Amino acid sequence: MIRVRTPLRLPFAGGLTDVKAYAQRFGGVTVSATIGLGVEVELCSSRSGRFEIVDAEGHEAVDRLDDIRNDLVREVLRAVDPAHQPVRVVVRLEVEGKSGLGASGAIAVALLQAAWTARGVRPTAAELGREAARIEVEVLAGNSGYHDPHVCARGGILRLDYRGAEVEATGIELPQRFLSEFEASLLLFATGVRAGTRESLSRLSGRLDDALDVMHEIKALAKETEQALTRGDLHGIARCIAEQQHLKQRLPGNFNDPLVTEVHSLLAPLGASVQFPGGKVGAYMFVCCPDAQQPQVRAALDRFAELPLSFSMEGSRVVE
């Protein structure tokens, strides 16, 4: 049995400039970090002689690769070997699905690493990110942009530059002791929302020309966020996190709803910044408290379940 653990990610700024329609024409930039929450994938030979898939949606067992309903599992196995032999795959996700935390990208990376490892291949993080992104963006036609697999495969706090599908990763170095201060300022809450990304990103891509001014602002904001991180400017980072959310809400797509409006109204008087990560309003939101407002934020958002949040500097890895 092969078991792989891959971290999820928290985006700070630049998200959506990694979407194919924009990244190919203008190049994109994102700044994000991997976190302690993650996904684990187990892969082993099938004792039944069938493809067996176990995940949060249930259990399926089919005779042919083409019959696997789980799109991501089917296409990852096909990419590794179009004549892939039957295997048993178990996917364990430590958050809700459709989270906005890069879950599908992390799963694609973990599956690829497990399937290649079973063949004695040891891919690099860059290779994992590139192939997982190809499957998500090209084969599955717009499930996501290029960002999630690349950051989840590598791990750490990263600036990613996109020239279409070509991605360059740069680690961001924070001042000494600032990492723990920044980490302590962040809170993660479950929203109770479950929404897919495809429809939202399709609307954005279809009306991209109308959104270019905002998209260019989002790209510039990523560079500003990197600068705030490198100088240890927590108030500057909080402002960038909030501005990313405000800019997203000006875009075509599913980036605003009554929940977003409600949360903004609760947190604005406290001086805390909130972002709903991902290509839509999803299952989670994170809050940055630059003035130690965590107690007030927790009280204001007491109807939402809080999750533990910490940074992880490790990328995807084989653990068994």
Side-chain angles (χ1 to χ4, degrees), residues 254-277:
N254 302 333
F255 303 115
N256 201 0
D257 66 9
L259 172 63
V260 175
T261 301
E262 176 195 359
V263 170
H264 276 304
S265 69
L266 292 171
L267 297 185
L270 303 177
S273 300
V274 64
Q275 192 179 130
F276 293 79

Side-chain angles (χ1 to χ4, degrees), residues 12-312:
F12 302 128
L16 302 175
T17 68
D18 63 302
V19 170
K20 179 180 178 179
Y22 184 86
Q24 282 190 332
R25 292 171 60 186
F26 304 102
V29 182
T30 60
V31 172
S32 56
T34 47
I35 60 176
L37 296 167
V39 60
E40 288 195 353
V41 166
E42 293 178 1
L43 182 145
C44 62
S45 298
S46 172
R47 294 179 180 178
S48 68
R50 310 181 79 193
F51 291 93
E52 299 178 55
I53 317 300
V54 180
D55 60 15
E57 302 300 320
H59 173 245
E60 60 175 305
V62 297
D63 294 323
R64 302 190 312 136
L65 176 62
D66 291 349
D67 294 333
I68 297 175
R69 295 191 305 273
N70 186 310
D71 292 343
L72 203 53
V73 174
R74 183 184 65 247
E75 297 307 329
V76 166
L77 294 180
R78 194 198 307 278
V80 171
D81 182 357
H84 206 293
Q85 293 300 303
V87 288
R88 176 179 172 85
V89 173
V90 179
V91 179
R92 297 187 180 93
L93 187 59
E94 294 176 347
V95 296
E96 294 290 333
K98 302 180 180 179
S99 63
L101 299 175
S104 65
I107 292 170
V109 166
L111 279 166
L112 276 170
Q113 190 166 21
W116 274 334
T117 299
R119 284 167 164 68
V121 179
R122 299 294 186 267
T124 66
E127 290 169 337
L128 284 169
R130 186 182 308 115
E131 180 62 4
R134 185 191 70 82
I135 292 168
E136 285 220 283
V137 177
E138 304 295 341
V139 177
L140 295 177
N143 262 6
S144 72
Y146 297 107
H147 172 226
D148 298 352
H150 281 280
V151 68
C152 294
R154 289 171 168 87
I157 301 178
L158 299 175
R159 168 179 167 156
L160 297 177
D161 289 79
Y162 308 87
R163 293 181 297 276
E166 293 301 313
V167 177
E168 181 181 351
T170 305
I172 300 176
E173 292 190 16
L174 279 60
Q176 190 175 15
R177 293 188 296 275
F178 180 66
L179 179 64
S180 59
E181 179 184 352
F182 180 32
E183 182 180 85
S185 77
L186 298 174
L187 302 174
L188 181 65
F189 297 92
T191 65
V193 174
R194 292 200 69 190
T197 302
R198 185 186 296 269
E199 178 187 352
S200 183
L201 294 188
S202 178
R203 288 175 60 191
L204 174 61
S205 297
R207 294 178 54 193
L208 183 63
D209 286 344
D210 298 331
L212 285 180
D213 287 346
V214 177
M215 294 291 286
H216 295 335
E217 287 186 62
I218 289 175
K219 182 165 68 173
L221 184 66
K223 299 173 184 178
E224 183 179 341
T225 304
E226 179 186 23
Q227 293 169 359
L229 284 165
T230 57
R231 66 176 182 264
D233 179 3
L234 187 54
H235 284 88
I237 296 167
R239 190 198 68 77
C240 291
I241 287 170
E243 184 63 13
Q244 171 76 20
Q245 180 62 38
H246 293 151
L247 288 171
K248 284 169 64 174
Q249 289 172 220
R250 293 169 52 193
L251 293 171
N254 302 333
F255 303 115
N256 201 0
D257 66 9
L259 172 63
V260 175
T261 301
E262 176 195 359
V263 170
H264 276 304
S265 69
L266 292 171
L267 297 185
L270 303 177
S273 300
V274 64
Q275 192 179 130
F276 293 79
K280 77 286 187 180
V281 178
Y284 296 92
M285 58 183 167
F286 70 96
V287 181
C288 183
C289 306
D291 295 306
Q293 308 101 312
Q294 291 91 329
Q296 296 95 317
V297 168
R298 288 185 171 108
L301 301 180
D302 62 352
R303 76 179 179 88
F304 300 100
E306 183 180 353
L307 283 78
L309 180 59
S310 61
F311 293 132
S312 170

